[in-house]
Amino acid sequence: MTTALISHDDCLNHVTPPGHPEQVARLDAVLGALKDFDLLRVKAPLAAEDDLLRAHPKAHVDAIHAAAPTEGWRSLDADTHMSPGTLTAAYRAAGGVIRAVDMVMTGEASNAFAAMRPPGHHAERQTAMGFCFFGNVVIGAKHALDHHGLDRVAIVDFDVHHGNGTQDLVEDDPRILFCSTHQSPLYPGTGAAHEIGVDNVLNVPLPNGTGSKGFRDAMERLVLPRVDAFAPQLLIISAGFDAHAADPLAGMELQTEDFAWVTDRLCDLAEKHCDGRVVSSLEGGYDLPALGASAAAHVRILEERGR
């Protein structure tokens, strides 16, 4: 058994305007940092429309299609832009998580990292925002529930920004537990502790300047026990690395080693409850050296635990 790395060159064709932080170079940085790892390398398929419809209404999918430009850029909001390659990249990003779920659930891989873009955790039911078009991890979670017959899937999001889209897509589905640590106040302004869904959402807002101790304490006291109590049959990670101290878009002070630590602790729970089944999907991270180093630390743990 091994760790699968799922990606696709089509994700490099989602080109954002000059100076945009969610840039092609992000994926280059991640894949470059993983180039010498002994991973099972798999090309992401395109998601089927039925896969997207598990999380989004058809009107949303149709609106993304209608917005796709044939040249230049089209802006859906101040942050979220489409180029001619974006639509296919977005379908690959969702399809990559689905492929990761299938590989882990069938035993083709012990665990998997989907190195994809655009990211997904800000995409709400009917709104593309925050660089995101489709809720990639939720699409994967619902695929696991519907296609693989699971009853419980946990999603843990340690991106510095709250996964408002993930919350919007799961807060009425008790089969999915969503736990998020994030800086607050910060974009998108959601993720208060009182937002609990149908008792399936745990938000842990952290103040600007939170470093290793505060982050690890929040994980130890709140997130890890909640996941443990839920006893998931599959664990999905929204792996954003923008809580790193070097990241330009926020003010948390995590170090590369913190991402290795949290990955290891989450793998402990996966070993306990779901035979080590972990699917991780890239979200944020905008300082390229920190992103590459953090992703490598994260995947190194997955690789070690997947042997």
Side-chain angles (χ1 to χ4, degrees), residues 11-16 21-29 117:
C11 293
L12 300 171
N13 296 329
H14 166 50
V15 180
T16 51
E22 208 296 279
Q23 57 183 300
V24 171
R26 294 183 64 243
L27 187 53
D28 286 330
R117 55 181 292 277

Side-chain angles (χ1 to χ4, degrees), residues 5-11 41-47 88-89 91-100 114-116:
L5 172 64
I6 301 171
S7 193
H8 200 284
D9 286 349
D10 281 349
C11 293
R41 296 169 191 269
V42 178
K43 290 187 177 181
L46 294 166
T88 298
Y91 269 73
R92 294 281 184 202
V97 179
I98 292 167
R99 181 74 173 102
M116 313 296 297

Side-chain angles (χ1 to χ4, degrees), residues 282-302:
L282 179 66
E283 300 284 2
Y286 305 100
D287 178 86
L288 298 181
L291 171 61
S294 299
H298 174 65
V299 175
R300 180 67 72 198
I301 298 298
L302 293 179

